Amino acid sequence: MLARRVVVCLDVQGARVVKGEQFVHLRDVGDPVELATRYEREGADEIVFLDISATADDRATLLDVARRTAERLFIPLTLGGGIRSADDVSLALRAGADKVSINSAAVSRPAVLEESAARFGSQCVVASIDAKRDGDSWRVYTRGGRTRTELDAVEWARECVAHGAGEILLTSIDRDGTRTGYDLELTRAVVAAVDVPVVASGGAGSASDVREVLDAGRADAALVAGILHDQATTVRAIKQLLASSGLPVRAVA
Amino acid sequence: MFDYGAGNLHSLIKTLEHDGARVEIETDPSHAARTDALVLPGVGAFGHAASRMASGLADMRSALRDGLPCLGICLGMQLLFDGSDEGAGAGLGIFPGRVRRLEGGRVPQIGWNTIENGDDPLLDAAPLATAYYANSYVCRPDDDSCVHAWSTHGIARFPALVREGRTVGVQFHPEKSSAPGVELVRAFLREAAQ
């Protein structure tokens, strides 16, 4: 039986993991290779590096970081942020990523999903969708939540899959950073609309929020970031809660 | 290691090097077959990989039939079968049967799945209770007696590990299955060294 996953996300700028509010007041929280391997030991099922670099130099550095990480990390690694073409996907995979997440570029040119899936397989193409509530539906935003589009989030998720995405990384802009819990309604709507795995993101404040989005929210995986970096909880505690609630998880010795 | 194109080989190379094995990356399939142990990694699509393998298919097949130890991972396992619904081209045919689309749950299957009914020396050496999968296709052997472990996705049960002599195929990614997966690769190397 397929286990539900706890995915740990690290914001990486150049060679460092950083943390900040809305991309300001960035604070250095450590070395990506060290943090990624530490989370593997704690029981994380996957690691995501979100590239928040502003410069080309930083991006080149990140590929080197991915290479060094892949040599020591023995769970899957996803790279996201700034991926615009199948050639970018190729660079990320060759550097050591197992999957690549594509966000704004897919909205401006959905064919980038098709081109990437054709070359590398759907299993490594993740469509990242930032959604914000708009009346009784959800709107897709791009460029890190700054630009509103005309796309309906549920409809767009369906379209991404039709274009070749093998997984959806779904972030609620309304909940992101609030620690008030994931958007269960949004998650359920997207899970029902597509037949690929859905990773829910945005709003985790506690281990029980993670349980809620995997249980009532029906997500296949939950992305966790801030609460781990702040040591509000641990991957181990989250997985223990999931297991004791009867959800299938990977046990870690 | 036969490198047939795209994808991340870093973790797998590091896993193999753990025990002091020297890893040669070969893009020529005939050269790849001249080794102490062959690894077929698991990235890409069947049609593309089969076309890269075509020029050395006969050499690789006869090396495996002569007892060259081989570990095929994910797509690498699928290449050990006759052919695939995913794409054109011939596989190595070590295992009679065909690769078919996984039906039964969310596809691609991405994540950690339970290893069931494990009955193989490699699984005895490596305590792999759950393993990481990323696949849309699975192997369907003509005869299930080559299957030495299973997994289940939704309603579909599929082979997790197949073996014919010294040729082993695993549908999961041991190099992405954390410490127990790394241990399985080491067990393969120990077996190959015997």
Side-chain angles (χ1 to χ4, degrees), chain A residues 1-3 5 40 45 67 70-71 74-76 93-99 120 166-167 191 194-197 250, chain B residues 5-8 10-11 14-15 106-114 116 130 132 134 152-153 175-178 182:
Chain A
M1 186 183 208
L2 203 62
R5 287 170 281 154
E40 176 184 355
D45 296 311
R67 195 169 297 118
E71 291 176 352
F74 298 103
I75 56 174
L93 296 178
R94 286 215 158 258
D98 300 289
K99 296 188 274 186
F120 312 108
E167 190 166 65
V191 168
V194 300
D195 54 9
V196 302
R250 174 175 71 104
Chain B
N8 164 23
H10 296 276
S11 305
K14 281 292 159 189
T15 308
R106 288 176 179 265
V107 177
Q109 169 186 222
I110 295 177
W112 299 77
N113 207 333
T114 315
E116 303 158 13
T130 54
Y132 184 79
T152 304
H153 184 49
E175 78 282 13
K176 293 287 155 188
S177 297
S178 207
V182 174

Side-chain angles (χ1 to χ4, degrees), chain A residues 48-146:
Chain A
V48 174
F49 281 171
L50 187 60
D51 180 10
I52 61 164
S53 299
T55 69
D57 278 358
D58 276 352
R59 284 198 195 288
T61 306
L62 182 86
L63 292 180
D64 180 57
V65 168
R67 195 169 297 118
R68 287 189 290 117
T69 306
E71 291 176 352
R72 286 186 45 203
L73 188 76
F74 298 103
I75 56 174
L77 174 67
T78 301
L79 284 195
I83 306 282
R84 297 203 163 75
S85 65
D87 287 338
D88 288 344
V89 173
S90 175
L91 286 176
L93 296 178
R94 286 215 158 258
D98 300 289
K99 296 188 274 186
V100 171
S101 87
I102 307 176
N103 191 321
S104 307
V107 172
S108 21
R109 207 175 66 84
V112 70
L113 298 172
E114 261 146 23
E115 291 158 8
S116 304
R119 273 171 70 180
F120 312 108
S122 283
Q123 83 291 332
C124 72
V125 180
V126 183
S128 169
I129 301 175
D130 293 340
K132 191 177 167 116
R133 186 175 270 286
D134 183 5
D136 48 11
S137 63
W138 296 270
R139 189 71 57 186
V140 174
Y141 280 67
T142 57
R143 299 179 61 243
R146 291 192 295 275

Side-chain angles (χ1 to χ4, degrees), chain A residues 172-207:
Chain A
S172 161
I173 295 176
D174 303 301
R175 297 300 177 89
D176 205 22
T178 63
R179 305 205 176 174
T180 54
Y182 296 84
D183 188 333
L184 302 185
E185 214 185 322
L186 167 67
T187 307
R188 271 196 299 267
V190 172
V191 168
V194 300
D195 54 9
V196 302
V198 176
V199 184
S201 160
S206 66

Side-chain angles (χ1 to χ4, degrees), chain B residues 37-190:
Chain B
L38 174 67
V39 174
L40 302 174
V43 280
F46 189 94
H48 175 77
S51 73
R52 297 285 281 265
M53 196 166 66
S55 68
L57 189 73
D59 289 344
M60 209 178 259
R61 181 186 288 136
S62 60
L64 295 185
R65 290 204 169 131
D66 289 346
L68 171 66
C70 172
L71 178 63
I73 295 170
C74 195
L75 176 59
M77 170 197 193
Q78 297 174 0
L79 289 168
L80 296 167
F81 284 72
D82 292 324
S84 172
D85 289 354
E86 186 188 15
L92 288 157
I94 301 299
F95 298 96
R98 204 169 161 79
V99 179
R100 302 206 181 271
R101 191 163 169 86
L102 175 60
E103 309 276 358
R106 288 176 179 265
V107 177
Q109 169 186 222
I110 295 177
W112 299 77
N113 207 333
T114 315
I115 302 296
E116 303 158 13
N117 306 106
D119 168 28
D120 190 87
L122 294 187
L123 293 171
D124 295 340
L128 198 66
T130 54
Y132 184 79
Y133 287 91
N135 63 309
S136 301
Y137 289 82
V138 293
C139 300
R140 294 298 178 197
D142 292 344
D143 177 357
D144 282 349
S145 63
C146 65
V147 182
H148 294 273
W150 296 84
S151 284
T152 304
H153 184 49
I155 54 166
R157 191 165 182 256
F158 63 90
L161 185 150
V162 293
R163 177 191 284 270
E164 171 62 46
R166 285 158 79 83
T167 301
V168 177
V170 291
Q171 186 61 66
F172 52 84
H173 285 272
E175 78 282 13
K176 293 287 155 188
S177 297
S178 207
V182 174
E183 191 46 51
L184 183 131
V185 174
R186 290 176 175 185
F188 165 75
L189 287 177
R190 284 196 300 273

